[in-house]
Every structure is written in C-alpha cells, then in structure tokens.
C-alpha cells in the first residue's frame, strides 16, 4: 500500500510541476486551456501534499521515523514558562 501511495505522490507532483509550468509560461493558450492547466496543477498539488502526509504518517507508525513530540513533563514545563 505504501508503494502505491509513493507512486501516486510522484505522479501527482509531476503533474503539478508540468501543468503549473504550462499554465505560467505558455503564451498561446486560450483562456479555457489556461484554466484547465491551472486546475490540473492544483489537483496535482493537493494530491501530492495529501500523499506525502500519508507517507509521513505511515513511516512514523512503522518506526522508520521517530515521533517528534515532547514528553508530558517537558511540555508542561515549557507551557508553564510562557511559551514555546
């Protein structure tokens, strides 16, 4: 399942960069083609971010990446001192 999400992540980011580049740099597109390219770039961005977050969560759950959270005592001491 993680491999499928990783493949989706790569395809989504590729779509974001490809269609975003087309939307930003092409001079001879009609208004409709420009809007479609921008929508596809946004869809690639959104899908890429969600897939990346899913992969990060999966790596934490499997122990590949340690969780970066404070223990309860350190968190309470930091909050009682007035800020993080």
């Amino acid at each position: 399942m993680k491999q499928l999400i990783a493949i989706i992540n790569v395809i989504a980011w590729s779509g974001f960069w490809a269609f975003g580049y087309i939307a930003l740099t092409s001079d001879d597109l009609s208004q409709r083609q420009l809007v479609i390219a921008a929508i596809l770039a946004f869809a690639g961005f959104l899908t890429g971010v969600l897939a990346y977050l899913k992969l990060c969560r999966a790596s934490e759950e499997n122990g590949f990446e340690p969780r970066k959270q404070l223990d309860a005592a350190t968190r309470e001491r930091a909050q009682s001192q007035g800020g993080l």
Side-chain angles (χ1 to χ4, degrees), residues 61-83:
E61 290 172 356
N62 291 333
F64 292 123
E65 180 71 25
R67 293 191 185 266
K68 295 179 176 81
Q69 293 182 344
L70 298 173
D71 60 345
T74 306
R75 186 175 53 247
E76 289 297 324
R77 187 173 61 245
Q79 289 179 352
S80 67
Q81 291 176 354

Side-chain angles (χ1 to χ4, degrees), residues 5-80:
I5 295 172
I7 291 170
I8 291 171
N9 189 17
V10 170
I11 292 171
W13 281 112
S14 298
F16 165 72
W17 287 109
F19 289 110
Y21 180 78
I22 289 170
L24 291 175
T25 61
S26 184
D27 293 332
D28 57 343
L29 289 179
S30 68
Q31 187 68 22
R32 182 172 184 241
Q33 290 172 328
L34 184 65
V35 169
I36 291 172
I39 289 171
L40 289 173
F42 178 73
F45 174 76
L46 187 63
T47 306
V49 168
L50 293 176
Y52 177 75
L53 292 175
K54 181 81 171 166
L55 285 173
C56 289
R57 180 172 291 188
S59 68
E60 286 179 349
E61 290 172 356
N62 291 333
F64 292 123
E65 180 71 25
R67 293 191 185 266
K68 295 179 176 81
Q69 293 182 344
L70 298 173
D71 60 345
T74 306
R75 186 175 53 247
E76 289 297 324
R77 187 173 61 245
Q79 289 179 352
S80 67

